[in-house]
Amino acid sequence: MDIRDVTSDDLDAVLDLRQRSFGLVPAAERERWRQAALPALAEGRYLGMFDGPRLVATSRLRPFTQWWHGKPQPLAGVAAVTVSPEDRGKGVGGRLMQATVERAVAFGDAVSALYPATTPLYRSAGYEHAGAQHRVTLPAEALRTIPPSGRVELRRMGPGDAAEVVSVLRRAHGAARASGPVSWDERTWALWLGREDDFLYLAPDGYVVYRWAGPDIEVDNLVAESEETARALWSLVGSASSMAEHVTANVAPDDPVLWLLRERSTEHIKQVRWMFRVLDVAAAVERRGYPAAVAGEAVVEVTDRLRAGNTGRWRLEFSGGAGAATPLGDSGESGAVLSINGLSALYAGIPAATLRRGGLMSGHERYDELLDTVFAAKPYMLDYF
């Protein structure tokens, strides 16, 4: 079997494999799927494993921006990982993921994330559970009672507003010192903003994308930089309460809407877990944001069976909201010992005590408190991919 770039001639086979893995794509959506896939083909972001002419497996790399402590960096979003039913259990997925990691590194990405259908495959490729998409269900009436404060100019938006949405996300996630959320590129946002069944509104410092989901409302994205805009957008969604009983929304773990509600007691929250991987230790540490008030140094020892350049002892230095990782030799001070899975989870804010008790960290504990402080995060995503 060989791995090569998928071409437009392979799209029928890709769609067949996708449907065998994830379920049927409605006929009305197939052309939209093809159009969305074409740029990925041209950029070498769709990989296929072939047994002669037969397509056996696929993976796709989506170009995202991801924020960590409010600082954006490129992210390789791994999606559309499929293996033909008759070829499962033969090591195909492992080979494909190794090639996918290598391709992500070739694109210059230092970190990667995915939503797993199964944990063992991705854990064997160095990914570890890090965060979740938090889906909360609220009474629509509760949102309607959020009173707007001041006057916020809202207007309907469409594909031509893609650049403005990206700009809003950059400002809002940066100001909130958010960790984990992603943004599609402008080209993809233009596709999403062209969906006919969605309702889209834009403010100077926020936006909302929502739709009817049967008798209720589903909020795909609602991002606001200010209290006034958050009130205006949530109240707008709640205005459907004369017809809708519930609103299901993708939110941050500590989303302001949960504090804007007049009443709050029992909440129904579904977590869709995602996994994360550090691809390049030095670049990932340098590109991440950190608490500006914290300074210090730590030594960690990392093992990465797929990326030999990550294996070894590293000195991590933090100061003024910036970080750096410098490779060390074999001698000298010892510190925490982690697989790349453990380092990836640490990077995403999973506490050292959890990692030690979960078998992902060992070695000396002298730097644990500093590592907890600099990497502290509540990682989440609003988007599923």
Side-chain angles (χ1 to χ4, degrees), residues 255-283:
D255 198 285
V257 69
L258 302 176
W259 279 262
L260 292 174
L261 297 173
R262 180 182 297 174
E263 296 287 350
R264 185 181 178 191
S265 55
T266 302
E267 293 163 356
H268 301 282
I269 299 176
K270 176 182 178 181
Q271 292 189 1
V272 183
R273 305 299 303 178
W274 48 269
M275 300 179 77
F276 179 79
R277 192 195 204 280
V278 169
L279 302 172
D280 182 319
V281 171

PDB file of all heavy atoms in Angstrom, residues 255-283:
ATOM      1  N   ASP A 255     -18.666  30.685  29.885  1.00  0.00           N
ATOM      2  CA  ASP A 255     -19.231  31.676  28.977  1.00  0.00           C
ATOM      3  C   ASP A 255     -20.036  32.718  29.746  1.00  0.00           C
ATOM      4  O   ASP A 255     -20.779  32.382  30.677  1.00  0.00           O
ATOM      5  CB  ASP A 255     -20.141  30.980  27.957  1.00  0.00           C
ATOM      6  CG  ASP A 255     -20.404  31.854  26.742  1.00  0.00           C
ATOM      7  OD1 ASP A 255     -21.194  32.807  26.861  1.00  0.00           O
ATOM      8  OD2 ASP A 255     -19.803  31.573  25.696  1.00  0.00           O
ATOM      9  N   PRO A 256     -19.897  34.005  29.394  1.00  0.00           N
ATOM     10  CA  PRO A 256     -20.633  35.062  30.102  1.00  0.00           C
ATOM     11  C   PRO A 256     -22.143  34.862  30.118  1.00  0.00           C
ATOM     12  O   PRO A 256     -22.811  35.330  31.046  1.00  0.00           O
ATOM     13  CB  PRO A 256     -20.251  36.329  29.321  1.00  0.00           C
ATOM     14  CG  PRO A 256     -18.918  36.026  28.739  1.00  0.00           C
ATOM     15  CD  PRO A 256     -18.953  34.562  28.408  1.00  0.00           C
ATOM     16  N   VAL A 257     -22.703  34.169  29.124  1.00  0.00           N
ATOM     17  CA  VAL A 257     -24.153  34.001  29.099  1.00  0.00           C
ATOM     18  C   VAL A 257     -24.652  33.300  30.359  1.00  0.00           C
ATOM     19  O   VAL A 257     -25.769  33.565  30.838  1.00  0.00           O
ATOM     20  CB  VAL A 257     -24.608  33.227  27.845  1.00  0.00           C
ATOM     21  CG1 VAL A 257     -24.170  31.770  27.889  1.00  0.00           C
ATOM     22  CG2 VAL A 257     -26.130  33.305  27.688  1.00  0.00           C
ATOM     23  N   LEU A 258     -23.829  32.445  30.939  1.00  0.00           N
ATOM     24  CA  LEU A 258     -24.242  31.722  32.127  1.00  0.00           C
ATOM     25  C   LEU A 258     -24.344  32.637  33.341  1.00  0.00           C
ATOM     26  O   LEU A 258     -24.967  32.283  34.345  1.00  0.00           O
ATOM     27  CB  LEU A 258     -23.274  30.566  32.405  1.00  0.00           C
ATOM     28  CG  LEU A 258     -23.134  29.549  31.258  1.00  0.00           C
ATOM     29  CD1 LEU A 258     -22.077  28.506  31.590  1.00  0.00           C
ATOM     30  CD2 LEU A 258     -24.467  28.882  30.962  1.00  0.00           C
ATOM     31  N   TRP A 259     -23.743  33.812  33.257  1.00  0.00           N
ATOM     32  CA  TRP A 259     -23.834  34.809  34.320  1.00  0.00           C
ATOM     33  C   TRP A 259     -24.828  35.925  33.980  1.00  0.00           C
ATOM     34  O   TRP A 259     -25.218  36.685  34.852  1.00  0.00           O
ATOM     35  CB  TRP A 259     -22.453  35.393  34.620  1.00  0.00           C
ATOM     36  CG  TRP A 259     -21.645  34.502  35.504  1.00  0.00           C
ATOM     37  CD1 TRP A 259     -21.486  34.614  36.864  1.00  0.00           C
ATOM     38  CD2 TRP A 259     -20.900  33.349  35.128  1.00  0.00           C
ATOM     39  NE1 TRP A 259     -20.698  33.602  37.351  1.00  0.00           N
ATOM     40  CE2 TRP A 259     -20.316  32.799  36.301  1.00  0.00           C
ATOM     41  CE3 TRP A 259     -20.669  32.695  33.922  1.00  0.00           C
ATOM     42  CZ2 TRP A 259     -19.519  31.658  36.291  1.00  0.00           C
ATOM     43  CZ3 TRP A 259     -19.872  31.556  33.917  1.00  0.00           C
ATOM     44  CH2 TRP A 259     -19.312  31.053  35.079  1.00  0.00           C
ATOM     45  N   LEU A 260     -25.233  35.995  32.739  1.00  0.00           N
ATOM     46  CA  LEU A 260     -26.241  36.977  32.340  1.00  0.00           C
ATOM     47  C   LEU A 260     -27.662  36.499  32.614  1.00  0.00           C
ATOM     48  O   LEU A 260     -28.596  37.299  32.670  1.00  0.00           O
ATOM     49  CB  LEU A 260     -26.100  37.296  30.840  1.00  0.00           C
ATOM     50  CG  LEU A 260     -24.846  38.052  30.414  1.00  0.00           C
ATOM     51  CD1 LEU A 260     -24.775  38.158  28.895  1.00  0.00           C
ATOM     52  CD2 LEU A 260     -24.813  39.451  31.038  1.00  0.00           C
ATOM     53  N   LEU A 261     -27.833  35.176  32.777  1.00  0.00           N
ATOM     54  CA  LEU A 261     -29.167  34.634  32.995  1.00  0.00           C
ATOM     55  C   LEU A 261     -29.745  35.119  34.325  1.00  0.00           C
ATOM     56  O   LEU A 261     -29.045  35.212  35.335  1.00  0.00           O
ATOM     57  CB  LEU A 261     -29.122  33.102  32.993  1.00  0.00           C
ATOM     58  CG  LEU A 261     -28.672  32.431  31.685  1.00  0.00           C
ATOM     59  CD1 LEU A 261     -28.526  30.932  31.901  1.00  0.00           C
ATOM     60  CD2 LEU A 261     -29.664  32.716  30.566  1.00  0.00           C
ATOM     61  N   ARG A 262     -31.042  35.397  34.334  1.00  0.00           N
ATOM     62  CA  ARG A 262     -31.707  35.831  35.561  1.00  0.00           C
ATOM     63  C   ARG A 262     -31.772  34.698  36.571  1.00  0.00           C
ATOM     64  O   ARG A 262     -31.598  34.901  37.770  1.00  0.00           O
ATOM     65  CB  ARG A 262     -33.119  36.329  35.236  1.00  0.00           C
ATOM     66  CG  ARG A 262     -33.899  36.818  36.455  1.00  0.00           C
ATOM     67  CD  ARG A 262     -35.304  37.239  36.058  1.00  0.00           C
ATOM     68  NE  ARG A 262     -35.260  38.358  35.128  1.00  0.00           N
ATOM     69  CZ  ARG A 262     -36.339  38.861  34.526  1.00  0.00           C
ATOM     70  NH1 ARG A 262     -37.530  38.325  34.733  1.00  0.00           N
ATOM     71  NH2 ARG A 262     -36.223  39.889  33.693  1.00  0.00           N
ATOM     72  N   GLU A 263     -32.068  33.487  36.103  1.00  0.00           N
ATOM     73  CA  GLU A 263     -32.128  32.301  36.950  1.00  0.00           C
ATOM     74  C   GLU A 263     -31.151  31.260  36.419  1.00  0.00           C
ATOM     75  O   GLU A 263     -31.001  31.100  35.215  1.00  0.00           O
ATOM     76  CB  GLU A 263     -33.542  31.708  36.967  1.00  0.00           C
ATOM     77  CG  GLU A 263     -34.599  32.612  37.565  1.00  0.00           C
ATOM     78  CD  GLU A 263     -34.489  32.709  39.075  1.00  0.00           C
ATOM     79  OE1 GLU A 263     -33.720  31.920  39.672  1.00  0.00           O
ATOM     80  OE2 GLU A 263     -35.163  33.584  39.652  1.00  0.00           O
ATOM     81  N   ARG A 264     -30.503  30.541  37.352  1.00  0.00           N
ATOM     82  CA  ARG A 264     -29.554  29.508  36.949  1.00  0.00           C
ATOM     83  C   ARG A 264     -29.504  28.431  38.025  1.00  0.00           C
ATOM     84  O   ARG A 264     -29.182  28.724  39.177  1.00  0.00           O
ATOM     85  CB  ARG A 264     -28.164  30.115  36.742  1.00  0.00           C
ATOM     86  CG  ARG A 264     -27.136  29.132  36.213  1.00  0.00           C
ATOM     87  CD  ARG A 264     -25.774  29.776  36.060  1.00  0.00           C
ATOM     88  NE  ARG A 264     -24.798  28.809  35.607  1.00  0.00           N
ATOM     89  CZ  ARG A 264     -23.485  29.020  35.582  1.00  0.00           C
ATOM     90  NH1 ARG A 264     -22.992  30.186  35.986  1.00  0.00           N
ATOM     91  NH2 ARG A 264     -22.659  28.081  35.160  1.00  0.00           N
ATOM     92  N   SER A 265     -29.864  27.227  37.656  1.00  0.00           N
ATOM     93  CA  SER A 265     -29.786  26.125  38.617  1.00  0.00           C
ATOM     94  C   SER A 265     -29.229  24.891  37.916  1.00  0.00           C
ATOM     95  O   SER A 265     -28.021  24.758  37.743  1.00  0.00           O
ATOM     96  CB  SER A 265     -31.167  25.840  39.230  1.00  0.00           C
ATOM     97  OG  SER A 265     -32.130  25.593  38.202  1.00  0.00           O
ATOM     98  N   THR A 266     -30.107  24.004  37.453  1.00  0.00           N
ATOM     99  CA  THR A 266     -29.652  22.801  36.753  1.00  0.00           C
ATOM    100  C   THR A 266     -29.389  23.109  35.287  1.00  0.00           C
ATOM    101  O   THR A 266     -30.215  23.728  34.620  1.00  0.00           O
ATOM    102  CB  THR A 266     -30.706  21.694  36.858  1.00  0.00           C
ATOM    103  OG1 THR A 266     -30.959  21.416  38.238  1.00  0.00           O
ATOM    104  CG2 THR A 266     -30.227  20.429  36.162  1.00  0.00           C
ATOM    105  N   GLU A 267     -28.227  22.699  34.786  1.00  0.00           N
ATOM    106  CA  GLU A 267     -27.871  22.920  33.386  1.00  0.00           C
ATOM    107  C   GLU A 267     -27.548  21.586  32.718  1.00  0.00           C
ATOM    108  O   GLU A 267     -26.916  20.721  33.321  1.00  0.00           O
ATOM    109  CB  GLU A 267     -26.663  23.852  33.277  1.00  0.00           C
ATOM    110  CG  GLU A 267     -26.958  25.264  33.751  1.00  0.00           C
ATOM    111  CD  GLU A 267     -25.710  26.066  34.021  1.00  0.00           C
ATOM    112  OE1 GLU A 267     -24.601  25.508  33.924  1.00  0.00           O
ATOM    113  OE2 GLU A 267     -25.851  27.262  34.348  1.00  0.00           O
ATOM    114  N   HIS A 268     -27.998  21.449  31.496  1.00  0.00           N
ATOM    115  CA  HIS A 268     -27.716  20.238  30.728  1.00  0.00           C
ATOM    116  C   HIS A 268     -26.578  20.555  29.760  1.00  0.00           C
ATOM    117  O   HIS A 268     -26.750  21.329  28.821  1.00  0.00           O
ATOM    118  CB  HIS A 268     -28.963  19.783  29.979  1.00  0.00           C
ATOM    119  CG  HIS A 268     -30.119  19.492  30.887  1.00  0.00           C
ATOM    120  ND1 HIS A 268     -30.221  18.331  31.622  1.00  0.00           N
ATOM    121  CD2 HIS A 268     -31.211  20.220  31.205  1.00  0.00           C
ATOM    122  CE1 HIS A 268     -31.325  18.342  32.329  1.00  0.00           C
ATOM    123  NE2 HIS A 268     -31.953  19.485  32.101  1.00  0.00           N
ATOM    124  N   ILE A 269     -25.418  19.965  30.004  1.00  0.00           N
ATOM    125  CA  ILE A 269     -24.225  20.241  29.199  1.00  0.00           C
ATOM    126  C   ILE A 269     -23.698  18.929  28.633  1.00  0.00           C
ATOM    127  O   ILE A 269     -23.471  17.967  29.364  1.00  0.00           O
ATOM    128  CB  ILE A 269     -23.125  20.944  30.018  1.00  0.00           C
ATOM    129  CG1 ILE A 269     -23.630  22.288  30.551  1.00  0.00           C
ATOM    130  CG2 ILE A 269     -21.873  21.139  29.169  1.00  0.00           C
ATOM    131  CD1 ILE A 269     -22.647  23.005  31.437  1.00  0.00           C
ATOM    132  N   LYS A 270     -23.513  18.903  27.334  1.00  0.00           N
ATOM    133  CA  LYS A 270     -22.904  17.762  26.650  1.00  0.00           C
ATOM    134  C   LYS A 270     -21.498  18.156  26.234  1.00  0.00           C
ATOM    135  O   LYS A 270     -21.288  19.215  25.635  1.00  0.00           O
ATOM    136  CB  LYS A 270     -23.727  17.370  25.424  1.00  0.00           C
ATOM    137  CG  LYS A 270     -23.103  16.244  24.604  1.00  0.00           C
ATOM    138  CD  LYS A 270     -23.938  15.944  23.368  1.00  0.00           C
ATOM    139  CE  LYS A 270     -23.291  14.854  22.523  1.00  0.00           C
ATOM    140  NZ  LYS A 270     -24.077  14.573  21.293  1.00  0.00           N
ATOM    141  N   GLN A 271     -20.531  17.317  26.560  1.00  0.00           N
ATOM    142  CA  GLN A 271     -19.150  17.574  26.175  1.00  0.00           C
ATOM    143  C   GLN A 271     -18.750  16.629  25.048  1.00  0.00           C
ATOM    144  O   GLN A 271     -18.831  15.408  25.201  1.00  0.00           O
ATOM    145  CB  GLN A 271     -18.206  17.381  27.363  1.00  0.00           C
ATOM    146  CG  GLN A 271     -18.376  18.423  28.456  1.00  0.00           C
ATOM    147  CD  GLN A 271     -17.274  18.326  29.498  1.00  0.00           C
ATOM    148  OE1 GLN A 271     -16.364  17.502  29.405  1.00  0.00           O
ATOM    149  NE2 GLN A 271     -17.337  19.177  30.498  1.00  0.00           N
ATOM    150  N   VAL A 272     -18.317  17.201  23.943  1.00  0.00           N
ATOM    151  CA  VAL A 272     -17.780  16.430  22.825  1.00  0.00           C
ATOM    152  C   VAL A 272     -16.265  16.598  22.893  1.00  0.00           C
ATOM    153  O   VAL A 272     -15.738  17.679  22.631  1.00  0.00           O
ATOM    154  CB  VAL A 272     -18.339  16.918  21.472  1.00  0.00           C
ATOM    155  CG1 VAL A 272     -17.824  16.044  20.333  1.00  0.00           C
ATOM    156  CG2 VAL A 272     -19.864  16.933  21.496  1.00  0.00           C
ATOM    157  N   ARG A 273     -15.566  15.550  23.248  1.00  0.00           N
ATOM    158  CA  ARG A 273     -14.143  15.651  23.560  1.00  0.00           C
ATOM    159  C   ARG A 273     -13.285  15.781  22.310  1.00  0.00           C
ATOM    160  O   ARG A 273     -13.583  15.202  21.267  1.00  0.00           O
ATOM    161  CB  ARG A 273     -13.676  14.416  24.338  1.00  0.00           C
ATOM    162  CG  ARG A 273     -14.451  14.097  25.603  1.00  0.00           C
ATOM    163  CD  ARG A 273     -14.383  15.193  26.626  1.00  0.00           C
ATOM    164  NE  ARG A 273     -13.011  15.528  26.990  1.00  0.00           N
ATOM    165  CZ  ARG A 273     -12.703  16.494  27.857  1.00  0.00           C
ATOM    166  NH1 ARG A 273     -13.660  17.198  28.429  1.00  0.00           N
ATOM    167  NH2 ARG A 273     -11.440  16.763  28.144  1.00  0.00           N
ATOM    168  N   TRP A 274     -12.195  16.568  22.426  1.00  0.00           N
ATOM    169  CA  TRP A 274     -11.196  16.623  21.364  1.00  0.00           C
ATOM    170  C   TRP A 274      -9.823  16.323  21.936  1.00  0.00           C
ATOM    171  O   TRP A 274      -9.579  16.465  23.126  1.00  0.00           O
ATOM    172  CB  TRP A 274     -11.202  17.945  20.607  1.00  0.00           C
ATOM    173  CG  TRP A 274     -11.207  19.218  21.405  1.00  0.00           C
ATOM    174  CD1 TRP A 274     -12.304  19.913  21.823  1.00  0.00           C
ATOM    175  CD2 TRP A 274     -10.078  19.993  21.834  1.00  0.00           C
ATOM    176  NE1 TRP A 274     -11.927  21.058  22.486  1.00  0.00           N
ATOM    177  CE2 TRP A 274     -10.572  21.136  22.500  1.00  0.00           C
ATOM    178  CE3 TRP A 274      -8.704  19.838  21.700  1.00  0.00           C
ATOM    179  CZ2 TRP A 274      -9.738  22.109  23.061  1.00  0.00           C
ATOM    180  CZ3 TRP A 274      -7.859  20.803  22.255  1.00  0.00           C
ATOM    181  CH2 TRP A 274      -8.386  21.930  22.914  1.00  0.00           C
ATOM    182  N   MET A 275      -8.925  15.869  21.050  1.00  0.00           N
ATOM    183  CA  MET A 275      -7.569  15.496  21.422  1.00  0.00           C
ATOM    184  C   MET A 275      -6.581  16.459  20.777  1.00  0.00           C
ATOM    185  O   MET A 275      -6.875  17.087  19.764  1.00  0.00           O
ATOM    186  CB  MET A 275      -7.277  14.050  21.006  1.00  0.00           C
ATOM    187  CG  MET A 275      -8.216  13.037  21.645  1.00  0.00           C
ATOM    188  SD  MET A 275      -7.889  11.314  21.144  1.00  0.00           S
ATOM    189  CE  MET A 275      -6.439  10.944  22.148  1.00  0.00           C
ATOM    190  N   PHE A 276      -5.383  16.527  21.361  1.00  0.00           N
ATOM    191  CA  PHE A 276      -4.413  17.553  20.988  1.00  0.00           C
ATOM    192  C   PHE A 276      -3.023  16.927  20.943  1.00  0.00           C
ATOM    193  O   PHE A 276      -2.723  15.988  21.691  1.00  0.00           O
ATOM    194  CB  PHE A 276      -4.475  18.677  22.038  1.00  0.00           C
ATOM    195  CG  PHE A 276      -3.521  19.814  21.811  1.00  0.00           C
ATOM    196  CD1 PHE A 276      -3.813  20.795  20.867  1.00  0.00           C
ATOM    197  CD2 PHE A 276      -2.361  19.915  22.556  1.00  0.00           C
ATOM    198  CE1 PHE A 276      -2.939  21.858  20.678  1.00  0.00           C
ATOM    199  CE2 PHE A 276      -1.482  20.969  22.365  1.00  0.00           C
ATOM    200  CZ  PHE A 276      -1.777  21.945  21.422  1.00  0.00           C
ATOM    201  N   ARG A 277      -2.170  17.478  20.045  1.00  0.00           N
ATOM    202  CA  ARG A 277      -0.797  16.988  19.952  1.00  0.00           C
ATOM    203  C   ARG A 277       0.164  18.125  19.688  1.00  0.00           C
ATOM    204  O   ARG A 277      -0.087  18.981  18.825  1.00  0.00           O
ATOM    205  CB  ARG A 277      -0.648  15.962  18.826  1.00  0.00           C
ATOM    206  CG  ARG A 277       0.688  15.199  18.858  1.00  0.00           C
ATOM    207  CD  ARG A 277       0.955  14.471  17.554  1.00  0.00           C
ATOM    208  NE  ARG A 277       1.854  13.351  17.687  1.00  0.00           N
ATOM    209  CZ  ARG A 277       3.191  13.445  17.761  1.00  0.00           C
ATOM    210  NH1 ARG A 277       3.776  14.636  17.717  1.00  0.00           N
ATOM    211  NH2 ARG A 277       3.933  12.344  17.848  1.00  0.00           N
ATOM    212  N   VAL A 278       1.262  18.135  20.416  1.00  0.00           N
ATOM    213  CA  VAL A 278       2.386  19.010  20.100  1.00  0.00           C
ATOM    214  C   VAL A 278       3.195  18.333  19.000  1.00  0.00           C
ATOM    215  O   VAL A 278       3.641  17.194  19.158  1.00  0.00           O
ATOM    216  CB  VAL A 278       3.253  19.272  21.344  1.00  0.00           C
ATOM    217  CG1 VAL A 278       4.562  19.955  20.947  1.00  0.00           C
ATOM    218  CG2 VAL A 278       2.497  20.113  22.360  1.00  0.00           C
ATOM    219  N   LEU A 279       3.365  19.030  17.876  1.00  0.00           N
ATOM    220  CA  LEU A 279       4.130  18.491  16.751  1.00  0.00           C
ATOM    221  C   LEU A 279       5.598  18.889  16.811  1.00  0.00           C
ATOM    222  O   LEU A 279       6.475  18.133  16.391  1.00  0.00           O
ATOM    223  CB  LEU A 279       3.536  18.989  15.432  1.00  0.00           C
ATOM    224  CG  LEU A 279       2.070  18.659  15.157  1.00  0.00           C
ATOM    225  CD1 LEU A 279       1.603  19.394  13.901  1.00  0.00           C
ATOM    226  CD2 LEU A 279       1.874  17.156  15.008  1.00  0.00           C
ATOM    227  N   ASP A 280       5.865  20.093  17.295  1.00  0.00           N
ATOM    228  CA  ASP A 280       7.219  20.657  17.350  1.00  0.00           C
ATOM    229  C   ASP A 280       7.359  21.345  18.708  1.00  0.00           C
ATOM    230  O   ASP A 280       6.745  22.388  18.941  1.00  0.00           O
ATOM    231  CB  ASP A 280       7.406  21.651  16.202  1.00  0.00           C
ATOM    232  CG  ASP A 280       8.797  22.251  16.148  1.00  0.00           C
ATOM    233  OD1 ASP A 280       9.358  22.574  17.206  1.00  0.00           O
ATOM    234  OD2 ASP A 280       9.319  22.437  15.032  1.00  0.00           O
ATOM    235  N   VAL A 281       8.123  20.745  19.619  1.00  0.00           N
ATOM    236  CA  VAL A 281       8.205  21.243  20.991  1.00  0.00           C
ATOM    237  C   VAL A 281       8.661  22.696  21.029  1.00  0.00           C
ATOM    238  O   VAL A 281       8.028  23.547  21.668  1.00  0.00           O
ATOM    239  CB  VAL A 281       9.136  20.357  21.842  1.00  0.00           C
ATOM    240  CG1 VAL A 281       9.391  21.005  23.204  1.00  0.00           C
ATOM    241  CG2 VAL A 281       8.548  18.970  22.017  1.00  0.00           C
ATOM    242  N   ALA A 282       9.772  23.009  20.365  1.00  0.00           N
ATOM    243  CA  ALA A 282      10.324  24.361  20.452  1.00  0.00           C
ATOM    244  C   ALA A 282       9.355  25.400  19.888  1.00  0.00           C
ATOM    245  O   ALA A 282       9.094  26.432  20.503  1.00  0.00           O
ATOM    246  CB  ALA A 282      11.666  24.425  19.719  1.00  0.00           C
ATOM    247  N   ALA A 283       8.798  25.138  18.706  1.00  0.00           N
ATOM    248  CA  ALA A 283       7.900  26.100  18.080  1.00  0.00           C
ATOM    249  C   ALA A 283       6.594  26.233  18.861  1.00  0.00           C
ATOM    250  O   ALA A 283       6.046  27.334  19.009  1.00  0.00           O
ATOM    251  CB  ALA A 283       7.612  25.690  16.638  1.00  0.00           C
TER     252      ALA A 283
END
